[in-house]
Amino acid sequence: MPSMIFIERDGTRRTVDAPVGLSVLEIAHKHGVDIEGACEGSLACSTCHVIVEPAWYDRLGVATEDEEDMLDLAFGLEKTSRLGCQIVMTPELDGLVVRLPSGVRNAQGG
Ligand code: FES
């Protein structure tokens, strides 16, 4: 099974199993990684924001316009930001590294 790495806010790297077909958000939830994902992947929030390591960014499919629009609302946006619910694991993404943003704007606006 592929695996992927989350870099948590304190810099801890966590390597976790990443079943093909699950989104990065689903994988995070499965392993208790702290990504909110308030809308459960329906592109209606930006709380699943992750920053993809540059070496991996180009290997992901291009973000849709809807994803880009939501990302514009994300706190701490970076050049390689993506929405975790829109990155779906494939065998080619084995070893994917994403970092959690330093702050999130959660559903309560806090
Ligand atoms: S969980 Fe809401 S856009 Fe990803």
Side-chain angles (χ1 to χ4, degrees):
M1 184 187 298
S3 61
M4 65 167 291
I5 298 170
F6 288 97
I7 304 176
E8 297 190 322
R9 294 187 180 88
D10 63 1
T12 310
R13 290 170 80 92
R14 280 186 58 184
T15 305
V16 299
D17 287 343
V20 170
L22 287 193
S23 70
V24 166
L25 175 66
E26 289 166 322
I27 293 164
H29 282 174
K30 217 167 130 65
H31 297 282
V33 175
D34 186 22
I35 302 179
E36 186 181 338
C39 77
E40 301 290 341
S42 47
L43 272 182
C45 73
S46 58
T47 61
C48 61
H49 174 209
V50 294
I51 298 148
V52 179
E53 286 287 287
W56 284 99
Y57 186 74
D58 290 341
R59 301 205 217 172
L60 305 178
V62 182
T64 62
E65 215 166 292
D66 287 345
E67 181 179 347
E68 295 285 1
D69 286 350
M70 273 300 148
L71 271 173
D72 285 343
L73 306 174
F75 184 82
L77 194 68
E78 296 193 20
K79 274 215 277 301
T80 62
S81 289
R82 291 291 305 263
L83 292 179
C85 67
Q86 301 300 306
I87 304 171
V88 175
M89 201 63 200
T90 63
E92 291 71 35
L93 293 181
D94 187 14
L96 175 69
V97 185
V98 306
R99 181 158 53 83
L100 306 196
S102 48
V104 285
R105 199 183 293 175
N106 68 25
Q108 286 75 42

